[in-house]
Structure formats: C-alpha cells, structure tokens
C-alpha cells in the first residue's frame, strides 16, 4: 500500500514537471532568439555608424567664385564700379576699416581692408588700402601706412554653389582651427560631462524621462553632444521612443569606436545653425562667414557665444529676426562660460556689453546668377561628373565680373520696365582678348532659373550675319575693297523648284550703286545678297564657321541676310573673333578648379587661334565703326559718353520678331537680344530695342574705345564715293577709306589725278622737293 502511493505520487510529480521544463525551454529559446535579433540589429547599427563615419561624411557642394578683382595704378576702374564689387563681396561700409571686409569713402577715394584669401595660386593676406580715382582710372593705390602697392588682389565674391538635392551647405573646419573658448563654451552649454560619459548621460536621461512620463509623450531630451550628432547624422528628428532608443545605442557605439576629438570635430561641422533662403547653413565654419563675414578663428568672444547660443534653436534665436532674444541667449552663454571658468567674469561682462556684431544683411532678394551658373556647370560637365560637383567641395574660380553683371541687368530692367511681360531679353558681355564671359543674363528676370535664352534661344540673327559676308569678300583684296561698288537694284532669286524670291531693303528703296562700306554700315540687303552670291554661299558658310559659329547643313541665299539661327552666346563668339582682329578665343566661364583644401585640379588657360588675316578683319571692323557713326547703329551715341568710339551692328528679323545688337570697343564686347518666346512680333528693330540696352550697359561698364590705328598691311586712301576710283583730299565726293597696301583702285578721278600729279612733281612745291631728291 505504501509502495503504491509512493509510485502514484512519483508519477504525478513527473506529469507536472514536464510542461514546466518545456515552458522554460521555449523561454530560453525565445530569449536566445531575441538576443540574436538584438545582436544583429546592434551589428547593423554599428555598420551604419562606421560606414558613414569612416567614409565620406558629408556631401559638400562646390563653391563658385567670381573673378578676383586685381587693383593697380592706371587700371580702368571707376569708384562706382569698385563700390559695386565691394557690395557683391559683402564688405561692410562704415567709419572703421580696421576689420577685414570693411570699407569707407575717403574724399574722392576709398579706404578698404581686404579679406585674406587662398586663391588657386597662393594666399593673399589682408591689406588696408587707399585708392583714388580720376578719368575713369585708379590714379593712386597705396597702403594706409603710405607704402606703395604695385598690385593688390581682393578676395572673390561667392556667386553660387552646386548643391546636392538636400541643399545643405557647410565650410569644413579642423578642430585645431577652432578657438579653444568656443569649444569649451559649447561643451559647458550643451554637454558639461562630454569628456566623462560614454555617449549617454544617465542623469540627463532620468530628468528627461520624468518630464516625458508626466506629459505622456516625448517633450524633453537628455541628449549629449554625441546623441545630438547621431540624431543629425543618421536619424530623423521625430520625437518617438523608438528613435530615442536607436539614438542611445548608436551614441554608445560611436563613443566605443571613435575618440572624443573626432566626435567633437564632426559635431562642429554637422550642426544646423541657420537658413539662408533655400540653403541650409550647417557647421560653425560656414555660420561664421554667414553671420560675421570672417573665418571662425578670427571671431571675437561675443561672436563665438552667439554661435553657441544658436545651437539650442537656430530659428527661435535667429539674430536678425529676433535680435533681443538672441542677445539674451548669447549673454546667458557668456555667463555660463564665466561660471564654469572658461572665461573670466570681466571678459564676460565686457563681451555682454557689446552688440551682436553681425555683418549687414543683404537688402532685397539674395543675389543669384542662374544663367551664368548654368554656363559654368555646362563647361565643368565636360571634365567632371555631376556628383563630384555636388559633393566634393570643389572651389571653382570663374570669369564673372559683378559690376559688369550689375550694369547689364540694370540696363535690361530699365528698358523693359514699361514693356509687356512677355517681351524677353538676353545678354552676353565678353572680354575681347581672352574670350572670358564677364556677365550673362538669360531673361528679363535675371534671378529666375528657368529657360536660359543666352545659351538656348536659337533665333534668326538678321543682319548680324552680314559682317561675315563682307569679311569673306575683303579677304580677297584683289577683287574687293571698302570702296568697291555693289549693285543695289531689284533682284529675283529662283530656288531649285523654280520659285522666285524677291528680297528688298528694309526701307524698300533701291539706290543703284553703293560702296561696300556703306552697304554694311547701312545694312542694305540687296547688295549683301549680290555680294554673297558672287563669292559663293559655301565661302560665306566657311567664314561663319571660322568665326566660331555653326552653320545649317544647306545654305540658301536668304542665309546671307540672317535667316540662320544662333544663340546670343554663339553670336558673341562670332563677334569676339572680329573684335580681337581675327584671333578666335573659345568663350569660357571657368578659370581654375581646386579641391576643398586648395589643391589645384584644373586650369582653363587662354587658347587663341588665328583664323583670319588681321588686316581683312580690321577692314570689316572699320565698316562697323561707320555703322555706329553714320549707319544703323548711330543711336548708341545717345547713351555713350562723347569720344567713346565703338564698332557695332544691328539685327532685325522679319516682322520685328527679333531685335539684336552686337558691338565692341578695344576691351569689351556685348551682345543683346530682345524678343518673345512664342516668336510673336515685338515692334522693335535692332536700333530701337536691343541697341538702347547695349548702350546703357556699356555706358556703365565704360569700355576702352575702339582704336582705329591701321595694321602695317593697310593704308589710308582717298576714294570717290560715286565711282569707286582713286581720288584725293579736297576733291568733291572723296572719302578716306582703308585699303591694303598696293591694293587700292588703279583708276583715278580727274580731280584726284590732278592733285596726285601736283604733289608728285607739279608746281613750285614739286620743283623744290625735286632739289632734295
């Protein structure tokens, strides 16, 4: 009986313990699985931390600079032009010029303190300079201590960036270049135990947890600097427990793998501090430039404290929008720095008494130059991948001239102010000798980053093509000269299908015969078509291509008077070759490219190709000078100062759909187009539409006048306007024209022959001259 009970109890015990062992077995397996999942998740987080922290941490956009303005005595530069350059640079105007990036008027001159800058070819230190001006030039350049300066170079203005999609911008700094007081102040304010904890602060977390439990949601963070970095670097800003958990784990992993200095340097470059339009300002380096216009190492104590203050709330404490709030927060930072022994009480008191010291905010909309930036990117994409331009922090030095751009934009806006909104414009300004694009406007609203008409609007060029026709003729001196007579009588041209075309002059008048120089200066269509047919359409086409523009596959007689389509930039290339005397320099917008550290990567040097005999080109240019003196371009002198001789050509297409003007002096070339995107008529001819814009712009730019000093292969000859024969000074109808030496007409007018004989041997003067032979 006892044994039986014992067996039953033993059996019952076995039946109860089996499920318990199974339950614990499942719990153990579940725990191991959970640990494995957590381990895998932690490994994934660790991989995430390492992959970005050890790789390329940021996508740093390329910074695009204007050309650096070089100053020297005798340079063509007005005081107003220098003021515009300084405005583009963001220099502050005031009574004190001790700080770099400041200037003031001084009598008839300017005093300025330039900023130090590392150019592509070396470092330029800050200098305090005094300049005076006279007759449109710098007539004195000295340092404020009185010492002479042969050449000074200003820092270039930042004109844009080439952003990745998120449009974050930053200027990377190394920890050793950051002021020690800024580092210590940041730690005191944001994470006092930074150098002691392992990534998270339990006491701070406890305080935050209590507040969050009371609120029933996440309302407060106990984040360390490391956790803030993790949030900014890897995670979203969502206030959830899941995100906070990830943040804590990743902070521990980050601290386990990397030293405090590396984490702190990364934080200094990553933290968001301001918004500038659609550009996000990240990092203390760029924030220093944005708010104070100087590098981080040069910041005063109160300026450092303001940047530290912004970490807590960049929008809430924005110093330009909330000055008093920012001032109070800055002074609180100074007090905390004093309490923790970072600075003395006296230093804190003095710094607290000072104003915020911000650089002046830009008035009006932020300057942007989308049309020129478009040209820069197109040039760079020949040699660089787009991703490299957006992420590698390249420094791109361009040919952009802020004062020239300002003058061009102002001229367009002044002229179109009272015109219908669908009348558009485009303009290109080029340095004649180098082919450098100094200014580019893609539409009447120069800030609109839409259709870039300067680069992409292919429009019929009208009479702007005619100089190519006359160059092709004058390159044959045995057949043509400026005084050669061309027929201006009705003309019928039959195409290959037998269809007639009867072109007319713009004024619907025929003149019988006109000189070659007048046919170009007055832009007569009939003589131009006849001349083009004589020398051959293919010859004209090759001439246009040598000048630098593409031509249609098939040429028709109408091409000779401008039915061919070109963009304003392509027209500028054609006229650059003319303006430089037959030396074609491919138009360029980029000079140099360096890495973020200043290492030279690319240099786009001047390239010159002699494509025409300079004497032939000068004959065409002299005819274009006649066009502005007496011909279709004569109205430019309503806008230009007296004595400023320029060469130029108007262009008008059928029903006034397109209005063009291209003109140049010794050093500047400008092309202006006016029209509608839908190709509807504008009512403007070249002289009534584009020419005034060109004239107003050039009056502000103040180019050097066209110099008509003849090439050695040319000489001045008196020609009879009606017959085209040789004449002499004083004879009726005689005019002085340039001809190639020994290529002037052999026929003489009676008056010209008499004068020539008298000068050679007739009369008392000839007898006396004969005694000395």
């Amino acid at each position: 009986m006892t044994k039986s009970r014992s067996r039953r109890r033993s059996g019952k015990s076995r039946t109860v313990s089996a499920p318990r062992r199974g339950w614990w077995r499942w719990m153990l397996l579940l725990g191991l699985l959970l640990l494995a999942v957590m381990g895998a998740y932690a490994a994934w987080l660790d991989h995430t931390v390492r992959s970005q922290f050890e790789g390329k941490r940021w996508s740093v956009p390329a910074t695009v600079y204007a050309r650096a303005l070089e100053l020297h005595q005798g340079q063509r530069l007005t005081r107003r032009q220098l003021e515009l350059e300084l405005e583009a640079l963001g220099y502050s105007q005031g009574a004190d010029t001790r700080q770099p990036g400041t200037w003031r008027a001084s009598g008839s001159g300017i005093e300025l303190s330039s900023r130090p800058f590392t150019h592509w070819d070396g470092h330029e230190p800050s200098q305090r300079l005094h300049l005076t001006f006279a007759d449109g030039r710098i007539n004195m350049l000295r340092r404020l201590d009185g010492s002479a300066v042969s050449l000074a170079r200003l820092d270039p203005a930042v004109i844009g960036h080439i952003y990745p999609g998120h449009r974050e911008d930053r200027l990377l700094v190394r920890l050793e270049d950051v002021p020690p007081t800024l580092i210590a102040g940041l730690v005191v304010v944001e994470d006092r135990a930074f150098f002691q904890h392992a990534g998270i602060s339990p006491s701070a977390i406890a305080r935050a947890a209590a507040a969050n439990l009371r609120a029933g949601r996440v309302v407060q963070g106990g984040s360390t600097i490391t956790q803030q970095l993790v949030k900014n670097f890897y995670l979203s800003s969502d206030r959830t427990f899941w995100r906070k958990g990830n943040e804590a784990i990743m902070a521990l992993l980050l601290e386990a793998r990397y030293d405090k200095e590396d984490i702190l340097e990364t934080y200094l470059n990553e933290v968001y501090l301001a918004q500038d339009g659609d550009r996000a300002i990240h990092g203390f380096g760029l924030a220093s430039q944005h708010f104070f216009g100087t590098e981080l190492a040069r910041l005063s104590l109160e300026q450092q404290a303001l940047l530290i203050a912004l970490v807590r709330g960049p929008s809430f404490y924005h110093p330009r929008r909330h000055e008093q709030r920012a001032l109070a927060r800055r002074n609180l930072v100074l007090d905390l720095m004093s309490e923790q022994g970072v600075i003395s009480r006296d230093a804190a008191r003095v710094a607290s008494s000072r104003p915020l010291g911000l650089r002046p905010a830009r008035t009006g909309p932020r300057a942007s130059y989308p049309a020129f930036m478009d040209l820069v990117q197109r040039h760079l994409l020949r040699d660089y991948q787009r991703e490299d331009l957006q992420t590698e922090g390249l420094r791109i030095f361009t040919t952009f001239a802020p004062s020239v751009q300002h003058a061009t934009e102002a001229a367009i806006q002044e002229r179109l102010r009272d015109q219908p909104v669908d009348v558009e414009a485009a303009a290109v300004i080029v340095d004649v000798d180098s082919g450098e694009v100094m200014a580019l406007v893609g539409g009447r609203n120069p800030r609109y980053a839409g259709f870039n008409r300067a680069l992409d609007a292919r429009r019929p060029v009208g009479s702007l093509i005619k100089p190519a026709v006359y160059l092709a003729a004058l390159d044959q001196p045995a057949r043509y000269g400026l005084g050669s007579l061309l027929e201006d009588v009705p003309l019928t041209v039959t195409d290959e299908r037998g269809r007639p075309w009867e072109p007319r002059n713009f004024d619907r008048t025929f003149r019988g015969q006109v000189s070659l120089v007048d046919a170009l200066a007055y832009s007569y269509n009939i003589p131009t078509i006849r001349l083009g047919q004589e020398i051959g359409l293919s010859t004209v086409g090759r001439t246009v291509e040598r000048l630098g523009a593409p031509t249609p596959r098939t040429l028709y007689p109408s091409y000779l008077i401008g039915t061919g389509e070109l963009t304003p930039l392509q027209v500028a290339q054609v006229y650059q070759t003319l303006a430089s005397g037959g030396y074609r320099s491919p138009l360029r917008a980029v000079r140099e490219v360096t890495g973020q550290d200043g290492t030279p990567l690319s240099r786009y040097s001047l390239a010159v190709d002699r494509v025409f005999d300079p004497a032939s080109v000068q004959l065409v240019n002299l005819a274009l000078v006649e066009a502005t003196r007496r011909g279709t371009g004569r109205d430019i002198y309503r806008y230009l100062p007296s004595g400023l001789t320029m060469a130029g050509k108007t262009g008008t297409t059928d029903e006034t759909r397109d209005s063009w003007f291209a003109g140049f002096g010794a050093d500047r070339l400008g092309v202006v187009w006016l029209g509608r995107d839908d190709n509807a008529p504008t009512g403007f001819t070249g002289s009534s539409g584009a020419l005034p814009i060109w004239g107003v712009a050039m009056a502000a730019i103040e180019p050097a006048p066209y110099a008509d000093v003849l090439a050695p292969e040319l000489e001045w000859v008196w020609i009879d306007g009606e017959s085209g024969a040789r004449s002499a000074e004083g004879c009726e109808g005689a005019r002085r024209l340039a001809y190639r030496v020994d290529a002037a007409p052999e026929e003489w007018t009676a008056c010209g022959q008499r004068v020539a004989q008298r000068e050679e041997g007739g009369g008392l003067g000839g007898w006396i001259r004969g005694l000395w032979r």
Side-chain angles (χ1 to χ4, degrees), residues 481-492:
L482 290 179
S484 298
L485 295 180
L486 305 176
E487 285 194 344
D488 184 17
V489 295
L491 173 67
T492 300

Side-chain angles (χ1 to χ4, degrees), residues 31 72 95 138 164 172 214 302 332 336 383 435 476 486 632 652 695 721 734:
H72 59 84
I138 298 174
L172 299 184
R214 285 194 299 270
E302 64 272 13
L332 175 60
L336 291 173
D383 302 313
Q476 305 175 39
L486 305 176
T632 57
T652 309

Side-chain angles (χ1 to χ4, degrees), residues 10-27:
S10 175
K12 185 177 180 180
S13 175
R14 284 195 296 270
T15 58
V16 171
S17 62
R20 288 180 179 173
R21 285 199 302 272
W23 183 80
W24 283 107
R25 187 182 299 117
W26 281 108
M27 289 295 292

Side-chain angles (χ1 to χ4, degrees), residues 175 183 186 194-195 260-268:
L175 192 62
I183 295 173
L186 178 67
F194 174 72
F195 289 103
K260 292 285 187 180
E261 287 72 20
D262 200 4
I263 292 171
L264 189 56
E265 180 178 280
T266 306
Y267 180 86
L268 289 166

Side-chain angles (χ1 to χ4, degrees), residues 561-708:
I561 56 174
T563 57
E565 296 179 343
L566 295 175
T567 68
L569 189 70
Q570 290 171 331
V571 171
Q573 180 67 80
V574 168
Y575 277 78
Q576 182 277 328
T577 307
L578 292 173
S580 64
Y583 293 88
R584 187 180 68 216
S585 297
L587 301 188
R588 59 195 176 108
V590 180
R591 288 180 175 177
E592 298 91 16
V593 179
T594 75
Q596 189 172 359
D597 60 355
T599 303
L601 299 178
S602 304
R603 187 178 185 194
Y604 298 87
S605 302
L606 173 66
V608 179
D609 186 15
R610 175 175 159 166
V611 292
F612 284 101
D613 185 338
S616 300
V617 175
Q618 186 172 20
L619 291 174
V620 173
N621 290 347
L622 290 171
L624 294 177
V625 170
E626 285 296 297
T628 61
R629 283 177 175 164
R630 302 184 296 111
T632 57
R634 61 186 177 275
D635 282 350
I636 66 169
Y637 294 108
R638 295 172 55 188
Y639 309 97
L640 299 179
S642 60
L644 185 59
T645 300
M646 303 293 279
K649 185 72 190 76
T650 56
T652 309
T653 61
D654 287 348
E655 299 182 16
T656 64
R657 289 187 171 92
D658 301 276
S659 169
W660 292 90
F661 189 81
F664 54 87
D667 59 351
R668 300 288 181 264
L669 154 72
V671 174
V672 175
W673 167 84
L674 220 63
R676 284 187 163 95
D677 291 339
D678 62 1
N679 204 32
T682 65
F684 290 119
T685 63
S687 59
S688 67
L691 182 149
I693 293 174
W694 186 95
V696 171
M698 282 295 172
I701 294 169
E702 299 193 24
Y706 178 83
D708 58 359

Side-chain angles (χ1 to χ4, degrees), residues 61-68 117 120 156-162 372-373 375-377 379-381 384-385 388-390 393-400 589-596 601-602 604:
T63 301
V64 183
Y65 296 94
R67 60 94 177 90
F117 188 82
W120 71 273
V158 175
I159 61 171
H161 298 81
I162 303 176
F372 189 86
M373 288 290 294
L375 177 62
V376 167
Q377 292 193 58
H379 281 196
L380 290 172
L381 287 172
Y384 293 88
Q385 297 294 322
D388 294 336
L389 297 177
Q390 294 174 336
L394 301 180
R395 303 165 77 230
I396 299 161
F397 297 92
T398 74
T399 60
F400 184 85
V590 180
R591 288 180 175 177
E592 298 91 16
V593 179
T594 75
Q596 189 172 359
L601 299 178
S602 304
Y604 298 87

Side-chain angles (χ1 to χ4, degrees), residues 205-228:
I205 292 175
R207 288 194 303 270
N212 295 336
L213 286 171
R214 285 194 299 270
R217 56 190 176 89
V218 179
V219 294
Q220 180 179 327
S223 298
T224 63
I225 282 178
T226 311
Q227 287 176 276
Q228 291 180 46

